[in-house]
Amino acid sequence: MKSLRCLLLSFSILAVCIGAPGHAQEGVHEVKIGFAGPLSEVRVRAALDAARLAAEQANTHAPQIGGRKVSFQILSQDDKGDARTAPLVAQYLIHSGVVGVIGHWTSTCSIAAAPVYHQAGMTHVSPASTSHKLTQLGFQTTFRIMGHDDAGGAFLGAYVVNELKARRIMVIDDGSQFGIGLADQFSATVTANKGNIVNRSSVSSKTSDFNSVLRIAKDSNADLIFLSVRVNQSGEFARSMKRLGVSATLLASGGTVSPTFLAMAGDAADGTMAMEPGPALEQLPAWKKLQKEFAAAGITEDGPFTVFAYDATSALIAAILQANSLEPDAITAAMRKLQYKGVTGNIAFDAEGNLRQPVYTLYRVQKGAWVPFKTFGGK
């Protein structure tokens, strides 16, 4: 217990250092919403800024709960992308009086923290965790703002066999909940569609040495490599493919469509494909307005998950206002019944807490830019 108290104290000190919310105006009750993720990552900091913007915009409408004026504030905590730290972060946020949480970022951290939120009756909405296992835990407090990997993997598996006509497919994952789950579903769908998987391999989630698996790709004459890893590895993987002369098409997992991959992969990026949850932002009328608001707020948009964080925060605030209560059970009940029009589309949840009728977009790098070219799912 002494160790736990020390850890919680360290989190309290850290919250002050990384931007705990300021005081609400006199006579206005401050309502804290938690945000949890690996804050050292550029895209996560952008998502945090997007969550803050959503709260600030909600406050301009002079919100009230139970006849009392309120001001929504974001309290952020760094889970370091570590499954051992995530439950402690969840405990800290709960003890700090938040009424709901946007987070966590990685599926592994969200799965680790979910039982803590469940025990406290605390609603948490992930803007980036796509492993289906998260909502299969069966907790009524767990929600996801985008589609899960089982659905995305099924769309991709059918596409590469039936439309892309790939004949020799290699599948590589990073050993994480996210990587394995997506690769499993993709592989199962490829097999169900009579596709040919010539090799299934795993790499460490921390490695930058892909020589051994790329030698396998060359030896097996793979014409497509499905890479189920995080973006920091996918950029280096693309560079390694070019260096070793591997000519297979690279199809990367969600999270790859960002300036981060383009910068890391350099001239090896062209031709890479990746599927992201959500519609193509460029095709959304509401995105143009939000993009200007992001720019005015100094938010550097880094892929679709920044917008998911904005929508997740807006949806949670909408549920709190509909519940007209700060009680956890009332907020969770309102989230379960929510019908909210977000920037990324209509937000409503099924019995598991997954987004109903999720949409996915397939992108390809052309002349150093991500270009959307196919949409899956939706109505």
Side-chain angles (χ1 to χ4, degrees):
M1 288 300 295
K2 182 178 179 181
S3 175
L4 177 59
R5 285 195 297 271
C6 290
L7 282 167
L8 290 176
L9 177 60
S10 69
F11 286 137
S12 179
I13 295 170
L14 180 61
V16 175
C17 295
I18 61 178
H23 297 291
Q25 296 177 359
E26 186 176 353
V28 178
H29 178 64
E30 181 182 86
V31 176
K32 291 184 286 188
I33 294 173
F35 182 100
L39 299 181
S40 63
E41 296 187 18
V42 172
R43 58 174 46 203
V44 181
R45 293 198 299 272
L48 170 58
D49 288 340
R52 286 172 172 156
L53 177 63
E56 291 168 4
Q57 290 179 342
N59 291 338
T60 64
H61 299 289
Q64 294 189 21
I65 297 175
R68 185 179 184 182
K69 293 180 180 179
V70 298
S71 173
F72 295 102
Q73 305 293 331
I74 303 297
L75 174 62
S76 62
Q77 276 293 294
D78 189 353
D79 68 13
K80 304 183 186 304
D82 177 32
R84 295 167 297 180
T85 304
L88 296 173
V89 165
Q91 290 171 0
Y92 170 78
L93 290 172
I94 292 166
H95 294 160
S96 297
V98 302
V99 298
V101 175
I102 306 303
H104 292 224
W105 195 263
T106 68
S107 295
T108 302
C109 286
S110 288
I111 290 169
V116 179
Y117 295 123
H118 168 68
Q119 186 173 14
M122 179 71 61
T123 296
H124 67 113
V125 191
S126 177
S129 299
T130 55
S131 172
H132 195 184
K133 289 184 179 180
L134 172 60
T135 46
Q136 288 178 321
L137 294 172
F139 298 145
Q140 290 292 300
T141 49
T142 301
F143 300 86
R144 181 199 326 270
I145 205 73
M146 80 298 290
H148 57 71
D149 290 334
D150 284 3
F155 283 128
L156 273 183
Y159 171 78
V160 299
V161 175
N162 300 324
E163 297 188 48
L164 202 57
K165 304 297 183 184
R167 291 292 175 256
R168 299 182 63 80
I169 301 166
M170 182 176 181
V171 179
I172 303 172
D173 67 66
D174 65 358
S176 69
Q177 293 273 6
F178 160 72
I180 294 174
L182 180 56
D184 282 349
Q185 185 60 56
F186 173 83
S187 300
T189 309
V190 166
T191 301
N193 283 269
K194 298 181 169 45
N196 179 26
I197 296 178
V198 296
N199 181 266
R200 171 75 185 264
S201 295
S202 289
V203 296
S204 166
S205 61
K206 300 183 184 303
T207 190
S208 59
D209 181 359
F210 303 107
N211 290 344
S212 61
V213 289
L214 286 173
R215 280 194 293 268
I216 294 173
K218 290 189 76 170
D219 292 344
S220 61
N221 197 27
D223 59 1
L224 182 137
I225 298 174
F226 178 61
L227 185 66
S228 188
V229 303
R230 298 190 71 197
V231 65
N232 290 346
Q233 286 183 297
S234 59
E236 182 59 37
F237 189 91
R239 290 175 63 88
S240 298
M241 283 182 66
K242 182 172 183 177
R243 175 173 51 83
L244 295 175
V246 177
S247 59
T249 297
L250 176 59
L251 175 59
S253 53
T256 305
V257 179
S258 72
T260 300
F261 173 82
L262 298 177
M264 292 182 69
D267 59 4
D270 272 15
T272 299
M273 297 191 301
M275 189 172 78
E276 296 288 3
L281 296 178
E282 301 87 343
Q283 300 170 3
L284 301 176
W287 167 237
K288 292 182 179 180
K289 178 176 181 292
L290 181 60
Q291 192 174 34
K292 292 179 181 178
E293 292 169 346
F294 275 5
I299 299 172
T300 303
E301 187 272 323
D302 191 76
F305 295 99
T306 305
V307 187
F308 283 132
Y310 176 89
D311 266 0
T313 307
S314 299
L316 177 57
I317 289 173
I320 294 169
L321 294 175
Q322 287 180 24
N324 197 30
S325 171
L326 298 180
E327 293 299 318
D329 289 346
I331 295 171
T332 296
M335 281 292 287
R336 288 279 159 189
K337 297 183 290 186
L338 186 68
Q339 298 284 338
Y340 180 79
K341 187 173 182 180
V343 175
T344 57
N346 294 324
I347 297 173
F349 302 100
D350 65 15
E352 282 189 348
N354 296 310
L355 188 70
R356 295 184 186 272
Q357 300 178 331
V359 174
Y360 302 81
T361 302
L362 193 58
Y363 295 79
R364 182 186 291 114
V365 180
Q366 296 178 358
K367 297 181 180 180
W370 286 107
V371 179
F373 69 96
K374 188 172 181 62
T375 301
F376 304 90
K379 294 184 179 179

